[in-house]
Amino acid sequence: MKNIDVDVFVVGAGPTGLVSAALLAREGVSVTAITRYPGLANSPRAHIINQRTMEVFRDLGIEDRVIAAAMPATLMGQVVWAESFTGPEIARRRAWGAAADRRSDYAQASPCDLTNIHQHILEPLLCEAAREYGADVIFGLELVSMRQEAERVVSLCRDRVTGEEVQVVSRYAVGADGDNSAVCREIGFEVEGMMGLGHMVNHWIKADLSPYTAHRPGALYQIFRPGGDAGVDNAVFVNVRPWDEWVMSLPYDPAAGQPDTGAEAVARKVREYVGDDALDVQPISSSTWTINEAHAELMHKGRVVIAGNAAHRHPPAGGLGANTCVQDAFNVAWKLRLLLGGPADERLLATYTEERAPVARQIVQRANTSLAALLAIPAALGLEPGQSAEEGRVRLATRLAATPEGVECRRRLADAVRLQDYNFNALGVELGQLYSSAAIVPDGAPDRSGRDPELFHEASTAPGAPLPHAWLARRGRQLSSLDLVGRGRFTVLTGIGGDGWHEAARALSEELGVPLDAVTIGPDRDVEDVYGDWARLRETEEDGCLLVRPDHHIAFRAVRGTAAPEETLRAALLAALGHPAGAVSAGLAGAGAGSSV
């Protein structure tokens, strides 16, 4: 039997597993990732990549590759609802920050643009990066069993082609193996909620729809036709490549049998929804999936963690799936790295659950709520379950009438379309993940947000928040505040008068073996605040400091300087590394962290 000894064993080679492997390998960790499949994603799946995930790709050094391979962002900025592609349009809504009143929100929130790149295009880029950094990615290898011992995880795998057994012995393991996770089964992780709430079929096709889409470009087109079990026969067309490659997603009832995926049946369906009987349709492949609402409350056990769809399962509404998966990896990778012979305490792994399980719960609930909200549009039009197609057509005609009923229908429709912002303009959901755990030193700062926290992101330097983005300059070159942090390292950010924090950072990096940088922001310093935006966002005095983790989240904030910066920073670092409260509390006395400016 073949044996593999490795620091971290990653089960699964989708976005979660590949990003985990790349981040770990970049920091010198020996890592092997496996997948039971013979290759990477073979069809379009997840596709909306939000700004926070693009920041992870920026940290990983592949942002430019992703942008180059993606659908241009200028072509994804709206959603269209219609009776068919050739028929009457029902509504449009600017999406993902494309509306004039939201564009500045997105631009201020991040140095990165969100983009539209389908999973079968993205995964090869992630695999390439993982291998470039030194990770081993093995295809066709299936996990059979996994057990934990005191100092290691022992996994038995089998080659699905040859039948050869392979034993993998690792210090830690990551379960990134999706909905039917073998890691969850073997280690006993429980995923709570409901599965199979609905059933969908995806048809990946080639069809030139440019006459119907190029003048109203978008990533999503939803077609509502009268009739159907839900009061409306509906399909979502997801753009894969402008404007001749698509995924058409349809609901189906498994009690009535499996959907017909034959080429003629698929082409016929596409033509019905497009409204063009002569359309040339070339089916590529079809697949079925279920609507789920489930997540794990515990995402780590001993030396094993679960991430991605192994830990949270939900529909694609809001484009939250792959993004949440990548951000799980960004949270846990640096923790595993510092546990491998580094300065971290084993308690650090518990903070992965403390920080990411609430996010998983929120995302699962939000995605399912957003999916249900899509039905507000047909409801506003008067389409109801049990209607005949003819009754539905009569109701649809109401919105065109110069009658009191028509006025009311148009008002309901406008309200229903605005509701879709929670699906397509939910910047707060995408970016506003505030962590709370034993690795975050709270300072009692109040929540000052006065806007809807799901629609809007409020930049903050409160402990647990992601570091705010501000454009800065270094030796004539523009860079983001986010470019000062991350890449596997802790960072102290301070201003003029913060020399004590600098000296403390240098001493503690050597003393504790922590990868720790220190950057002074100010005129004629390491980095200059040329626009004054950082001074507005930092929420500290110039001689205060922020301790930023490798995943860009703020671990500690000192609003102002202290007479004992080394003791204060040591305590904050120990907390961020998972050491128990008794080891850190003394150093925080008098740290100036208990008030905000």
Side-chain angles (χ1 to χ4, degrees), residues 472-544:
L472 306 167
R474 174 188 281 157
R475 294 185 291 276
R477 184 175 67 88
Q478 179 172 270
L479 74 167
S480 169
S481 50
L482 272 63
D483 296 325
L484 306 177
V485 303
R487 292 161 181 79
R489 304 180 66 82
F490 282 87
T491 308
V492 167
L493 298 179
T494 187
I496 294 176
D499 293 347
W501 300 113
H502 253 268
E503 294 168 6
R506 284 193 294 269
L508 291 168
S509 180
E510 182 175 348
E511 173 192 331
L512 300 177
V514 180
L516 175 61
D517 296 325
V519 179
T520 299
I521 302 174
D524 200 31
R525 294 305 195 268
D526 300 326
V527 178
E528 298 196 58
D529 183 16
V530 288
Y531 298 107
D533 292 337
W534 178 248
R536 175 176 54 84
L537 292 169
R538 70 184 181 220
E539 298 178 299
T540 67
E541 302 291 351
E542 287 189 86
D543 63 350

Side-chain angles (χ1 to χ4, degrees), residues 314-387:
H314 55 82
L320 301 172
N323 294 291
T324 308
C325 294
V326 168
Q327 291 154 35
D328 283 349
F330 202 39
N331 181 288
V332 77
W334 70 268
K335 296 176 179 178
L336 292 174
R337 162 66 186 89
L338 293 179
L339 284 166
L340 288 162
D345 186 274
E346 288 293 337
R347 296 172 181 84
L348 181 60
L349 214 50
T351 69
Y352 171 61
T353 285
E354 292 171 5
E355 293 171 0
R356 293 303 296 176
V359 172
R361 187 185 315 118
Q362 175 202 13
I363 294 301
V364 167
Q365 293 171 351
R366 179 68 260 168
N368 279 275
T369 300
S370 293
L371 183 66
L374 285 171
L375 296 179
I377 291 178
L381 298 169
L383 300 175
E384 300 173 353
Q387 281 178 337

Side-chain angles (χ1 to χ4, degrees), residues 108-119:
Q108 291 176 25
S110 175
C112 304
D113 290 327
L114 48 73
T115 193
N116 187 31
I117 180 169
H118 284 262
Q119 195 166 332

Side-chain angles (χ1 to χ4, degrees), residues 110-374:
S110 175
C112 304
D113 290 327
L114 48 73
T115 193
N116 187 31
I117 180 169
H118 284 262
Q119 195 166 332
H120 69 299
I121 300 171
L122 176 62
E123 283 190 8
L125 301 179
L126 301 179
C127 186
E128 179 183 60
R131 284 174 164 167
E132 285 176 357
Y133 283 123
D136 192 13
V137 182
I138 303 175
F139 298 103
L141 193 61
E142 181 176 24
L143 179 68
V144 176
S145 66
M146 177 182 283
R147 72 177 190 273
Q148 296 198 66
E149 298 178 357
E151 299 294 331
R152 64 181 191 167
V153 180
V154 180
S155 304
L156 179 65
C157 305
R158 181 181 297 117
D159 188 301
R160 299 191 75 199
V161 175
T162 67
E164 178 188 15
E165 290 190 338
V166 178
Q167 179 175 271
V168 181
V169 177
S170 59
R171 295 276 303 281
Y172 295 93
V174 177
D177 50 340
D179 289 12
N180 299 307
S181 170
V183 174
C184 285
R185 178 196 72 216
E186 290 297 300
I187 302 299
F189 286 100
E190 296 183 3
V191 180
E192 304 172 4
M194 297 174 286
M195 305 285 283
L197 296 175
H199 298 265
M200 305 290 293
V201 57
N202 283 359
H203 300 299
W204 182 16
I205 62 164
K206 287 188 176 181
D208 183 8
L209 301 185
S210 57
Y212 318 121
T213 55
H215 65 288
R216 49 181 177 179
L220 297 171
Y221 298 76
Q222 187 159 16
I223 306 302
F224 291 125
R225 304 193 317 157
D229 294 337
V232 59
D233 186 8
N234 73 93
V236 175
F237 281 70
V238 182
N239 185 227
V240 178
R241 186 179 66 186
W243 301 104
D244 63 355
E245 195 171 328
W246 301 84
V247 168
M248 180 180 69
S249 189
L250 301 164
Y252 75 95
D253 181 2
Q258 291 299 302
D260 190 341
T261 59
E264 290 185 8
V266 171
R268 183 172 61 252
K269 275 287 185 185
V270 172
R271 294 182 186 117
E272 288 175 3
Y273 286 104
V274 172
D276 181 350
D277 292 338
L279 182 69
D280 180 22
V281 180
Q282 301 174 40
I284 301 173
S285 67
S286 299
S287 58
T288 59
W289 54 280
T290 58
I291 297 171
N292 304 315
E293 187 173 357
H295 67 278
E297 289 290 348
L298 187 66
M299 294 174 64
H300 82 287
K301 284 189 175 185
R303 293 179 170 272
V304 182
V305 300
I306 55 172
N309 286 10
H312 36 79
R313 303 158 193 178
H314 55 82
L320 301 172
N323 294 291
T324 308
C325 294
V326 168
Q327 291 154 35
D328 283 349
F330 202 39
N331 181 288
V332 77
W334 70 268
K335 296 176 179 178
L336 292 174
R337 162 66 186 89
L338 293 179
L339 284 166
L340 288 162
D345 186 274
E346 288 293 337
R347 296 172 181 84
L348 181 60
L349 214 50
T351 69
Y352 171 61
T353 285
E354 292 171 5
E355 293 171 0
R356 293 303 296 176
V359 172
R361 187 185 315 118
Q362 175 202 13
I363 294 301
V364 167
Q365 293 171 351
R366 179 68 260 168
N368 279 275
T369 300
S370 293
L371 183 66
L374 285 171

